[in-house]
Amino acid sequence: MSQHRRTRPRTPARRAAAPLACTLLLTSAALAACASDGGRSAPQTGKDPAADAREHEPFTLVATGDLLVHDSVIRQAHTDGGGQSYDFRRMLEDVRPMVEGADLALCHMETVYGADGGPFTGYPLFQTPPEIAGAVKDVGYDSCSTASNHTLDAGVEGVARTLEAMEAAGLAHAGSARTAEERDEPVLLRAGGATIAHLAYTYGTNGIPVPEGQDWLVNVIDPDRIVADARAARRAGADVVVLSMHWGTEWQEAPDDLQLSLAEELTASRSGGRRDIDLILGTHAHVPQPYEKVNGTWVVYGMGDQVAGVMNDPRGQFGSAARFTFSPPGAEGEPWDVEKAEFVPHAVDNDPITVVNLPRSLAESPDDAAHADALDAVSRAVMSRGADRDGLVLGH
């Protein structure tokens, strides 16, 4: 990483926790400048008792699965926009209480954006209305992973349009970039008393070649590079390193051999006795996959789809939100640890397309058989590798 990089724009968080961090630089002078940047950086230790107290505040992180904007989702957003625009807020509204209740919320932006006014397309080469960025921000998300097998669907221009629209909406992003310098710039976010690094990678790009000399456009999974990036983020000030991984076998609930081997390798990585990666969040498989602890680190193999149109397999509209509460270290040099691990099942209703928080829906309508079946299916998949023994519980 270079010693000097530009700082991405950040907007204040809505929750009671400290606002989003600016992107921290490696020099002490830059760190000091960041500290004076409207409170957006990690607080300095020392003389201020209030700042010292904030450093010991726990934080809760929520993450959700693929925003997979099929043609039917685009049509729904156009209808919800009165035929004049594309409005995704109504279909996402049910996630607002959970997302706004977290100190840090991460989404997965599976698809790239089309130009203002279109054309907009679904599968197989997605171009999503850029209005989705504002809707995602409006319901409470702070950052989104953008590395997926669809990152290059609209070429270099699609990557640039997507990141520009996300920044205009106030969303941070990780996993794709417009320049080599941007790719090497760690995405650091503030929640509770911690600075959190968000990293993101994909297994590939559906056979679309990455342009020669522009491998910075999208982060492709390479364990050595991932570990190097995690260590660089730690040097840049990260207390917690969160890794978004677009991986796995589509429509397979069990993690495949590559997921298992990567999870083992990445969670085993240590620097000075301290783990390099604190949490792994998986996307891509389109169905809910298990959670489990690997080498003492939580791995979510796959959260399923958060938004998707009707597919041949109804599980394509099932997913889970991962919610982890981190507690501060007990002593200098010790890690932040997960003190509570939860999953919140959700599904997509159709006509109109709507994301539904299943536990809350069933609390209000306990006789809804379809929602009860969906909750059971998600819960079975999530717990299929014994996550309940590791302390995972159903959240609401």
Side-chain angles (χ1 to χ4, degrees):
M1 276 195 267
S2 63
Q3 292 294 309
H4 302 280
R5 342 171 167 60
R6 64 182 177 79
T7 298
R8 293 181 192 168
R10 292 287 188 263
T11 56
R14 303 149 313 288
R15 297 174 285 278
L20 293 177
C22 66
T23 302
L24 300 181
L25 308 184
L26 296 182
T27 63
S28 58
L31 285 170
C34 189
S36 65
D37 188 16
R40 291 180 291 170
S41 70
Q44 304 298 303
T45 58
K47 298 179 180 179
D48 183 354
D52 288 343
R54 286 195 298 272
E55 285 189 342
H56 292 87
E57 291 179 3
F59 73 92
T60 298
L61 178 150
V62 162
T64 48
D66 303 25
L67 291 166
L68 190 58
V69 186
H70 289 117
D71 288 322
S72 58
V73 179
I74 295 172
R75 290 194 296 270
Q76 182 68 66
H78 197 235
T79 297
D80 289 346
Q84 304 299 313
S85 63
Y86 295 86
D87 192 342
F88 294 85
R89 289 174 298 176
R90 183 204 54 77
M91 68 178 79
L92 291 171
E93 185 62 30
D94 207 37
V95 309
R96 183 187 296 275
M98 176 187 66
V99 172
E100 287 191 338
D103 298 302
L104 181 65
L106 308 178
C107 85
H108 176 58
M109 197 67 70
E110 169 88 2
T111 57
V112 292
Y113 301 167
D116 289 342
F120 303 124
T121 55
Y123 181 83
L125 295 174
F126 290 88
Q127 293 196 65
T128 297
E131 287 86 347
I132 193 171
V136 166
K137 178 65 176 180
D138 181 70
V139 299
Y141 287 94
D142 301 301
S143 182
C144 300
S145 54
T146 56
S148 84
N149 55 315
H150 292 289
T151 300
L152 297 184
D153 278 6
V156 177
E157 295 81 6
V159 171
R161 282 196 301 263
T162 302
L163 302 188
E164 287 164 7
M166 292 176 70
E167 289 174 358
L171 282 171
H173 49 80
S176 58
R178 290 156 290 195
T179 64
E181 291 78 14
E182 183 176 45
R183 187 261 178 246
D184 287 338
E185 182 180 308
V187 177
L188 299 179
L189 307 158
R190 189 72 181 172
T195 297
I196 300 98
H198 186 202
L199 311 178
Y201 305 82
T202 179
Y203 73 91
T205 54
N206 283 351
I208 300 173
V210 178
E212 186 175 354
Q214 295 179 289
D215 59 353
W216 35 261
L217 279 169
V218 57
N219 290 343
V220 176
I221 292 172
D222 174 342
D224 291 339
R225 183 61 187 261
I226 292 171
V227 169
D229 288 347
R231 290 173 176 172
R234 193 81 77 187
R235 290 193 301 272
D239 301 303
V240 175
V241 176
V242 176
L243 176 59
S244 292
M245 293 285 278
H246 200 69
W247 61 356
T249 302
E250 289 185 343
W251 306 109
Q252 179 175 305
E253 288 183 0
D256 62 25
D257 290 343
L258 182 60
Q259 285 175 289
L260 293 172
S261 63
L262 282 170
E264 174 67 31
E265 179 178 0
L266 293 170
T267 59
S269 181
R270 297 288 189 274
S271 297
R274 181 180 178 182
R275 61 178 176 256
D276 291 316
I277 292 161
D278 298 288
L279 177 65
I280 297 178
L281 303 167
T283 57
H284 173 63
H286 302 311
V287 294
Q289 291 188 315
Y291 295 35
E292 73 170 336
K293 271 188 172 181
V294 183
N295 295 316
T297 296
W298 278 104
V299 176
V300 180
Y301 289 106
M303 293 176 285
D305 291 334
Q306 183 183 25
V307 171
V310 177
M311 292 179 275
N312 292 332
D313 189 327
R315 296 176 303 161
Q317 291 186 307
F318 296 169
S320 74
R323 184 161 61 200
F324 295 97
T325 301
F326 282 81
S327 59
E332 184 73 23
E334 292 183 358
W336 287 69
D337 284 316
V338 173
E339 66 178 36
K340 186 175 184 180
E342 303 168 89
F343 74 104
V344 182
H346 57 79
V348 178
D349 279 354
N350 296 294
D351 301 322
I353 292 173
T354 307
V355 181
V356 176
N357 178 310
L358 291 171
R360 186 163 63 245
S361 171
L362 287 166
E364 297 170 355
S365 303
D367 296 328
D368 190 320
H371 285 177
D373 289 346
L375 186 145
D376 287 345
V378 175
S379 299
R380 284 196 304 271
V382 165
M383 294 293 195
S384 62
R385 291 181 67 87
D388 54 336
R389 296 190 296 272
D390 290 326
L392 184 71
V393 297
L394 175 68
H396 298 276

